[in-house]
Amino acid sequence: MVTPTKTARVDPQESTDRLLRDLRTRRDGLSRREAERRTLVYGTNELIRHRGRTWPRQLLRQFTHPLALLLWMAAVLAVFSGSAPLGVAIVIVILLNAAFAFVQERHAEQAVEALAAFCRPGRASPVRERRRRSTSGRSCRAT
């Protein structure tokens, strides 16, 4: 049995029938019972959108997570121990890490918003229309 902590290995080069067997599904999709079981085991297949966060708060969070706080302490200790260049280097690492993490987080949020807009109920899309005919009306949100 596949559990949330143990996943089946799936090789995309395998035949479709074997992949379907490994994923415990059929060509026409999951049975209602199996879909309900997976919902209980893995939770609902929903996009989690964080509303109300502003970019200053997101940026501040990059400077205050536990590893960043540890690095801030290391920088202070380096300066007080007479190794100011090391302290400056540590601060530069903190700044670079915060900048990269902030940009990555913003890109991830934009991707979630784009996916949410694509999966919005009632949205006309050639892809969803083709999917709707072949999968009996399923949308991006599985139950």
Side-chain angles (χ1 to χ4, degrees):
M1 172 184 255
V2 178
T3 63
T5 57
K6 181 182 175 185
T7 57
R9 287 202 157 273
V10 178
D11 180 7
Q13 302 299 321
E14 290 181 4
S15 70
T16 303
D17 292 330
R18 186 164 180 179
L19 286 173
L20 292 171
R21 185 200 71 207
D22 290 347
L23 295 171
R24 295 189 177 109
T25 187
R26 303 179 310 249
R27 287 185 185 274
D28 60 338
L30 297 173
S31 67
R32 177 170 294 287
R33 183 176 179 179
E34 178 63 12
E36 289 170 356
R37 185 193 72 79
R38 289 184 186 194
T39 300
L40 286 174
V41 173
Y42 301 108
T44 58
N45 186 16
E46 295 178 322
L47 295 173
I48 298 172
R49 299 163 74 184
H50 300 284
R51 295 259 180 206
R53 286 191 184 165
T54 59
W55 70 265
R57 182 179 292 165
Q58 289 175 331
L59 188 58
L60 178 64
R61 205 175 63 237
Q62 298 303 328
F63 293 109
T64 58
H65 65 80
L67 183 58
L69 293 174
L70 185 64
L71 287 171
W72 283 116
M73 288 176 25
V76 169
L77 288 173
V79 169
F80 283 123
S81 70
S83 184
L86 178 61
V88 170
I90 293 171
V91 170
I92 290 171
V93 167
I94 295 169
L95 295 173
L96 286 172
N97 179 65
F100 285 127
F102 175 74
V103 168
Q104 276 187 317
E105 191 171 312
R106 298 292 288 186
H107 282 269
E109 286 178 1
Q110 289 170 355
V112 168
E113 290 300 320
L115 184 59
F118 179 78
C119 293
R120 186 177 31 239
R123 180 183 177 279
S125 165
V127 174
R128 287 194 63 204
E129 291 300 320
R130 272 187 259 130
R131 252 189 156 166
R132 186 173 293 129
R133 279 187 291 245
S134 66
T135 60
S136 305
R138 292 185 203 150
S139 66
C140 292
R141 182 176 174 219
T143 56

